[in-house]
Amino acid sequence: MTLFAALRLPSEILFGKGQRHALPSVAARLGKRALICTDARFAATSVFAEIVTSLEAVGIDVLIHDGVQPDVPAETVSLCVEDSRAFDPDMVIGIGGGSCLDMAKCAALLLTHGGALKEYYGEYKVPGPTIPIIAVPTTAGTGSEVTPVAVISDAERTLKVGISSPYLIATAAICDPDLTMTCPPGLTAVAGADALTHAIEAFTAARRGTDHSLAQKHVFIGKSALTDHFALLAIKLLGRSLEKACTDGENEDARADVMMGALAAGCAFGTAGTAAAHAIQYPAGALTHTAHGLGVATMMPYVMNYNLSCSVAELAEIGAALGLATSDLDDNQLAVAAIEEIRRLFAAIGITRTLADLGLSSDKLDWTAEQAFGIDRLIKNNPRPFDLDSMKRLVKAAYDGDLAASAI
Ligand SMILES: NC(=O)c1ccc[n+]([C@@H]2O[C@H](COP(=O)([O-])OP(=O)(O)OC[C@H]3O[C@@H](n4cnc5c(N)ncnc54)[C@H](O)[C@@H]3O)[C@@H](O)[C@H]2O)c1
Ligand SMILES: [Fe+2]
């Protein structure tokens, strides 16, 4: 196989304790007026007040939008844009969880190109560059600080929608693990499990060929040499420290590992894409109103087992990255051990074990499978192909908690 890789990332990624103090220097290179998108929780903190003061100290005018809601309802984007158009910002700074970063991307998009958000739903609909975006995450999970995606909820659609375009990649990502120290265990678990799922789905994604037009036509293009590198780093860091960050939130080393894991996972899936676990979460999450990370992580062991027959080598490498490799395990045993370890780790941090536990009702299983099967960009990224029947069997297995049945 010809060596092939594609990677799209911010121009600048800064990571480490205290890196938030670099924000004024980074922002000053990009303009004089900054719209800040955050939520009421972070806006009320002294850390936020310090950040605003530090921006003003280098001569940057700041407009604060602190109305970001979880999962970014589409109408809240219009409100943010209406309130900030007269301010005419040179840049948008998103500070907060994935929802604040996604709001910043949507605001930059509409402030630059106008129109209604729904005109951009889907892939490659953004016509050109936006005003610069600086992403400063306070959760360790979504990877939105480096990805070309904004996820929003639109009351007119049952499932959440995505806007995917390389033009939505932040100019700069500033990741300071100190900002995640206040995340409670439940949020740490759900966000971190989302990140680990990103890394596993990116590493086991289909190989979609080496055609030069692939990355020009699609945002998510399957696994490749450079995305693999980031995915394995993420699996190693999250495997060794996610549980510790949940049980001992004061542990700075564990927090740093988990935030770097989420960042690296974002670097991987931002080009490789995710697959079946994410496809099934879309309808399952819409029906159960549960957090994105909880749904994808509930599905992950079943999807790994479904993929086992054609991803033994990749799953064995995941086992090695999780530190499970011993001389007496062959690849097949190591792959199975990797699935068991992900199941154990997710159970230990409080991830639901089954779709039934997630709150999905049994009369919605077929609908869930049909909707998931219809999300083409994720389904064609899965290493083992699907037809509708195999998707229905996988959803039923995850509902029943029957891991063995998910391989059939
Ligand atoms: N753009 C992408 O690439 C991408 C990828 C995956 C998921 N997402 C989307 O991101 C959103 C989820 O983001 P999220 O999981 O980061 O959560 P979030 O941004 O929705 O925030 C959830 C809650 O956590 C709180 N919170 C955030 N940081 C905190 C901190 N440091 N301490 C205490 N509380 C804190 C927020 O105030 C909020 O109440 C979803 O809409 C999901 O679909 C986007
Ligand atoms: Fe995700």
Side-chain angles (χ1 to χ4, degrees), residues 48 74 77 79 108 124 128 169 177 180 193 207 227 245 254 256 279 283 295 341 350 404:
F48 181 71
V77 176
L79 291 178
Y124 273 125
I169 297 174
T180 66
R207 292 183 196 279
T227 59
E341 171 58 10

mmCIF file of all heavy atoms in Angstrom, residues 48 74 77 79 108 124 128 169 177 180 193 207 227 245 254 256 279 283 295 341 350 404:
data_model
loop_
_atom_site.group_PDB
_atom_site.id
_atom_site.type_symbol
_atom_site.label_atom_id
_atom_site.label_comp_id
_atom_site.label_asym_id
_atom_site.label_seq_id
_atom_site.Cartn_x
_atom_site.Cartn_y
_atom_site.Cartn_z
ATOM 1 N N PHE A 48 -11.920 34.271 34.093
ATOM 2 C CA PHE A 48 -12.425 34.950 32.887
ATOM 3 C C PHE A 48 -12.168 36.458 32.977
ATOM 4 O O PHE A 48 -11.725 37.088 32.020
ATOM 5 C CB PHE A 48 -13.923 34.666 32.703
ATOM 6 C CG PHE A 48 -14.485 35.316 31.465
ATOM 7 C CD1 PHE A 48 -14.156 34.852 30.207
ATOM 8 C CD2 PHE A 48 -15.339 36.416 31.557
ATOM 9 C CE1 PHE A 48 -14.656 35.448 29.054
ATOM 10 C CE2 PHE A 48 -15.848 37.026 30.416
ATOM 11 C CZ PHE A 48 -15.496 36.542 29.157
ATOM 12 N N ALA A 74 -29.671 26.440 17.319
ATOM 13 C CA ALA A 74 -29.371 27.293 16.153
ATOM 14 C C ALA A 74 -29.821 28.740 16.368
ATOM 15 O O ALA A 74 -29.134 29.679 15.960
ATOM 16 C CB ALA A 74 -30.031 26.700 14.911
ATOM 17 N N VAL A 77 -27.400 31.150 17.909
ATOM 18 C CA VAL A 77 -26.321 31.673 17.046
ATOM 19 C C VAL A 77 -26.781 32.981 16.407
ATOM 20 O O VAL A 77 -26.044 33.971 16.381
ATOM 21 C CB VAL A 77 -25.947 30.639 15.953
ATOM 22 C CG1 VAL A 77 -24.896 31.221 15.012
ATOM 23 C CG2 VAL A 77 -25.439 29.340 16.585
ATOM 24 N N LEU A 79 -28.908 35.102 17.547
ATOM 25 C CA LEU A 79 -28.912 36.159 18.570
ATOM 26 C C LEU A 79 -27.508 36.714 18.787
ATOM 27 O O LEU A 79 -27.298 37.933 18.837
ATOM 28 C CB LEU A 79 -29.454 35.621 19.898
ATOM 29 C CG LEU A 79 -30.948 35.273 19.929
ATOM 30 C CD1 LEU A 79 -31.333 34.701 21.284
ATOM 31 C CD2 LEU A 79 -31.778 36.518 19.617
ATOM 32 N N ALA A 108 -18.301 33.291 13.698
ATOM 33 C CA ALA A 108 -17.302 33.761 12.716
ATOM 34 C C ALA A 108 -17.815 33.516 11.299
ATOM 35 O O ALA A 108 -17.658 34.369 10.415
ATOM 36 C CB ALA A 108 -15.968 33.041 12.938
ATOM 37 N N TYR A 124 -18.361 21.088 3.145
ATOM 38 C CA TYR A 124 -17.796 21.981 2.120
ATOM 39 C C TYR A 124 -18.784 23.029 1.609
ATOM 40 O O TYR A 124 -18.754 23.393 0.435
ATOM 41 C CB TYR A 124 -17.260 21.163 0.926
ATOM 42 C CG TYR A 124 -15.823 20.707 1.117
ATOM 43 C CD1 TYR A 124 -15.483 19.364 1.020
ATOM 44 C CD2 TYR A 124 -14.821 21.623 1.393
ATOM 45 C CE1 TYR A 124 -14.166 18.946 1.200
ATOM 46 C CE2 TYR A 124 -13.508 21.205 1.571
ATOM 47 C CZ TYR A 124 -13.195 19.870 1.476
ATOM 48 O OH TYR A 124 -11.894 19.463 1.659
ATOM 49 N N GLY A 128 -15.550 30.376 1.857
ATOM 50 C CA GLY A 128 -14.182 30.907 1.925
ATOM 51 C C GLY A 128 -13.771 31.121 3.370
ATOM 52 O O GLY A 128 -14.523 30.795 4.299
ATOM 53 N N ILE A 169 -11.665 25.622 10.826
ATOM 54 C CA ILE A 169 -10.575 25.293 11.755
ATOM 55 C C ILE A 169 -10.065 26.590 12.392
ATOM 56 O O ILE A 169 -9.802 27.580 11.690
ATOM 57 C CB ILE A 169 -9.417 24.578 11.026
ATOM 58 C CG1 ILE A 169 -9.919 23.237 10.461
ATOM 59 C CG2 ILE A 169 -8.231 24.356 11.959
ATOM 60 C CD1 ILE A 169 -8.894 22.514 9.594
ATOM 61 N N PRO A 177 -4.426 23.108 30.662
ATOM 62 C CA PRO A 177 -5.118 22.121 31.505
ATOM 63 C C PRO A 177 -5.646 22.706 32.820
ATOM 64 O O PRO A 177 -6.584 22.154 33.402
ATOM 65 C CB PRO A 177 -4.075 21.038 31.769
ATOM 66 C CG PRO A 177 -2.900 21.352 30.933
ATOM 67 C CD PRO A 177 -3.048 22.718 30.338
ATOM 68 N N THR A 180 -9.316 23.055 33.058
ATOM 69 C CA THR A 180 -10.185 21.871 33.215
ATOM 70 C C THR A 180 -10.273 21.400 34.667
ATOM 71 O O THR A 180 -11.014 20.471 34.976
ATOM 72 C CB THR A 180 -9.688 20.681 32.358
ATOM 73 O OG1 THR A 180 -8.414 20.232 32.868
ATOM 74 C CG2 THR A 180 -9.526 21.063 30.893
ATOM 75 N N ALA A 193 -14.408 10.347 27.622
ATOM 76 C CA ALA A 193 -14.832 9.153 26.878
ATOM 77 C C ALA A 193 -15.148 9.509 25.432
ATOM 78 O O ALA A 193 -14.898 8.719 24.513
ATOM 79 C CB ALA A 193 -16.050 8.527 27.557
ATOM 80 N N ARG A 207 -9.752 2.567 5.365
ATOM 81 C CA ARG A 207 -8.773 3.164 4.438
ATOM 82 C C ARG A 207 -9.532 3.455 3.169
ATOM 83 O O ARG A 207 -10.059 2.555 2.530
ATOM 84 C CB ARG A 207 -7.637 2.181 4.135
ATOM 85 C CG ARG A 207 -6.760 1.900 5.320
ATOM 86 C CD ARG A 207 -5.611 0.977 4.910
ATOM 87 N NE ARG A 207 -4.991 0.390 6.089
ATOM 88 C CZ ARG A 207 -4.092 1.000 6.839
ATOM 89 N NH1 ARG A 207 -3.681 2.212 6.528
ATOM 90 N NH2 ARG A 207 -3.589 0.402 7.911
ATOM 91 N N THR A 227 -2.826 10.813 10.795
ATOM 92 C CA THR A 227 -3.909 10.776 11.784
ATOM 93 C C THR A 227 -3.695 9.605 12.747
ATOM 94 O O THR A 227 -4.011 9.708 13.936
ATOM 95 C CB THR A 227 -5.297 10.692 11.117
ATOM 96 O OG1 THR A 227 -5.381 9.514 10.312
ATOM 97 C CG2 THR A 227 -5.581 11.914 10.269
ATOM 98 N N ALA A 245 -8.146 11.029 36.332
ATOM 99 C CA ALA A 245 -8.695 12.400 36.284
ATOM 100 C C ALA A 245 -10.121 12.431 36.822
ATOM 101 O O ALA A 245 -10.562 13.440 37.378
ATOM 102 C CB ALA A 245 -8.652 12.935 34.853
ATOM 103 N N ALA A 254 -2.662 14.085 35.570
ATOM 104 C CA ALA A 254 -3.760 13.364 34.907
ATOM 105 C C ALA A 254 -4.591 14.324 34.067
ATOM 106 O O ALA A 254 -4.967 14.014 32.932
ATOM 107 C CB ALA A 254 -4.633 12.662 35.958
ATOM 108 N N ALA A 256 -3.573 17.028 32.636
ATOM 109 C CA ALA A 256 -2.799 17.394 31.438
ATOM 110 C C ALA A 256 -2.837 16.263 30.410
ATOM 111 O O ALA A 256 -3.028 16.495 29.214
ATOM 112 C CB ALA A 256 -1.364 17.730 31.828
ATOM 113 N N ALA A 279 -22.356 7.601 14.562
ATOM 114 C CA ALA A 279 -23.599 7.564 13.769
ATOM 115 C C ALA A 279 -24.781 7.135 14.637
ATOM 116 O O ALA A 279 -25.872 7.715 14.549
ATOM 117 C CB ALA A 279 -23.435 6.614 12.589
ATOM 118 N N PRO A 283 -29.043 9.540 16.517
ATOM 119 C CA PRO A 283 -30.449 9.271 16.853
ATOM 120 C C PRO A 283 -30.659 8.880 18.319
ATOM 121 O O PRO A 283 -31.647 9.312 18.940
ATOM 122 C CB PRO A 283 -30.841 8.126 15.912
ATOM 123 C CG PRO A 283 -29.558 7.515 15.458
ATOM 124 C CD PRO A 283 -28.547 8.609 15.480
ATOM 125 N N GLY A 295 -23.331 8.789 24.927
ATOM 126 C CA GLY A 295 -23.881 7.913 23.885
ATOM 127 C C GLY A 295 -22.794 7.247 23.050
ATOM 128 O O GLY A 295 -22.835 6.036 22.800
ATOM 129 N N GLU A 341 -10.781 -3.954 27.807
ATOM 130 C CA GLU A 341 -10.225 -2.862 28.614
ATOM 131 C C GLU A 341 -11.046 -1.576 28.430
ATOM 132 O O GLU A 341 -11.297 -0.852 29.397
ATOM 133 C CB GLU A 341 -8.741 -2.635 28.254
ATOM 134 C CG GLU A 341 -8.101 -1.396 28.869
ATOM 135 C CD GLU A 341 -8.128 -1.320 30.401
ATOM 136 O OE1 GLU A 341 -8.477 -2.320 31.060
ATOM 137 O OE2 GLU A 341 -7.829 -0.233 30.937
ATOM 138 N N GLY A 350 -18.243 5.356 34.937
ATOM 139 C CA GLY A 350 -19.687 5.625 35.018
ATOM 140 C C GLY A 350 -20.410 5.751 33.685
ATOM 141 O O GLY A 350 -21.533 6.268 33.633
ATOM 142 N N ALA A 404 -21.230 -10.349 22.610
ATOM 143 C CA ALA A 404 -20.972 -11.406 21.610
ATOM 144 C C ALA A 404 -21.853 -11.198 20.379
ATOM 145 O O ALA A 404 -21.396 -11.351 19.243
ATOM 146 C CB ALA A 404 -21.219 -12.777 22.236
#
